[in-house]
Amino acid sequence: MATQSKRKDSLVMGLALFAMFFGAGNLIFPPFLGLESGTLWPLGLAGFLLTDIVVACVGIYAVNAAGGAVESIDAALGNRPGLLLTGASVVCLGVLFAMPRTAATTYEMSIVPYLGSHIGLLPFSIAFFVVVFLLAVRPTRIMDIIGKFFTPTLVAGVVALVAVGIARPLGAIGEPQSATVFQDGIRAGYQTMDVLGVVSFSLVLMDSIRSHGYEGRRAQLSIVVAASLVSVGLLAVLYGGLTYLGATAQGIGAGMSQSELIVAMTYQLLGPAGVVVLGV
């Protein structure tokens, strides 16, 4: 019974970790990378996976194995440099880059296709972050809320998109539009900023593990490994599918931005209802 409960907790936390990684950039970067990579899209995908999820999950394990997110960094760098580094990563993931991007990308994918600019980005962003605050106000519940409710919906929508795109490709895959496909993948993976979230994600994950009653260090690290494997597996499959779809979209994606490309692909494959699901 204990083993079954541990597997269930690992799965839920892995799904939640997947959803924390799979943010705005993770949805829009792979198709655009595939568009530019053409027939070399697997090579671009490899670079993307390396700098996005592989390095990030190794980092999450490393900081927890070394004593915890804050403790391990302070021990390696000292208190003040450690505080500066963790503070800079939180600021970048917060008010400077990641937070504005989540609202802006959601706005471009769920509001602009239907209402244009009739609803401004600022009022939408305020409403967006009010909802986010209400869901995240209890930190120990974040993993359960994301893992049990949001992630299954997200995964189902993206899987449906990829499945239809494989069954009915948008077009033929053309030649690469870049001479540095692997480097482009590395750059795109870095731009998701998941590596910068290692400290924050480690804190949230470990708090959730402890709230579920896992006190021993060995048990905690085994949950970290299992949750990381779940998230890596899911992300690799979905990233691969999205990158492939982008590679087949060279006929419709010329001159489009990253957000415009994912919306156009969804409309072509799933119709207006698919764009609604994407926005949600």
Side-chain angles (χ1 to χ4, degrees):
M1 193 68 179
T3 301
Q4 185 177 1
S5 176
K6 185 176 180 180
R7 288 176 180 172
K8 179 181 178 182
D9 291 338
S10 298
L11 177 61
V12 170
M13 293 180 197
L15 290 173
L17 189 59
F18 156 84
M20 287 193 290
F21 281 131
F22 200 75
N26 307 67
L27 183 62
I28 64 176
F29 286 139
F32 199 79
L33 176 64
L35 180 72
E36 294 184 328
S37 300
T39 54
L40 295 180
W41 69 267
L43 183 61
L45 174 65
F48 187 88
L49 294 176
L50 176 64
T51 52
D52 181 38
I53 53 174
V54 173
V55 172
C57 283
V58 169
I60 288 175
Y61 178 83
V63 295
N64 281 303
V70 176
E71 294 86 348
S72 62
I73 293 176
D74 287 349
L77 300 179
N79 291 337
R80 290 185 178 179
L83 178 62
L84 180 63
L85 178 63
T86 54
S89 67
V90 170
V91 169
C92 288
L93 286 171
V95 296
L96 289 186
F97 299 112
M99 270 176 54
R101 186 165 70 187
T102 58
T105 303
T106 305
Y107 176 77
E108 291 174 4
M109 292 193 301
S110 61
I111 301 298
V112 172
Y114 300 101
L115 301 176
S117 57
H118 293 296
I119 296 178
L121 177 59
L122 179 59
F124 171 82
S125 299
I126 293 172
F128 178 87
F129 287 118
V130 167
V131 174
V132 171
F133 172 77
L134 293 175
L135 293 172
V137 69
R138 294 178 60 189
T140 57
R141 292 285 295 162
I142 293 176
M143 299 295 284
D144 287 336
I145 292 172
I146 295 176
K148 291 180 180 178
F149 300 104
F150 288 147
T151 304
T153 304
L154 177 66
V155 170
V158 177
V159 166
L161 179 67
V162 172
V164 175
I166 293 175
R168 294 189 289 107
L170 291 166
I173 300 177
E175 292 299 314
Q177 300 175 7
S178 170
T180 55
V181 169
F182 186 70
Q183 294 92 320
D184 293 342
I186 290 177
R187 189 181 304 110
Y190 172 76
Q191 288 176 340
T192 66
M193 295 189 288
D194 285 335
V195 172
L196 294 178
V198 165
V199 174
S200 302
F201 294 168
S202 297
L203 287 170
V204 173
L205 179 60
M206 189 53 66
D207 284 347
S208 183
I209 290 173
R210 288 169 179 159
S211 72
H212 282 74
Y214 297 95
E215 297 296 338
R217 197 76 188 140
R218 187 171 182 177
Q220 291 174 350
L221 290 177
S222 69
I223 295 290
V224 170
V225 171
S228 296
L229 290 175
V230 170
S231 65
V232 167
L234 276 174
L235 287 166
V237 170
L238 295 187
Y239 286 155
L242 289 170
T243 306
Y244 167 78
L245 291 188
T248 66
Q250 291 186 336
I252 67 170
M256 289 185 177
S257 68
Q258 294 159 333
S259 298
E260 290 171 341
L261 176 62
I262 186 69
V263 171
M265 287 168 41
T266 304
Y267 185 85
Q268 290 287 331
L269 294 171
L270 301 178
V275 179
V276 172
V277 173
L278 177 70
V280 173

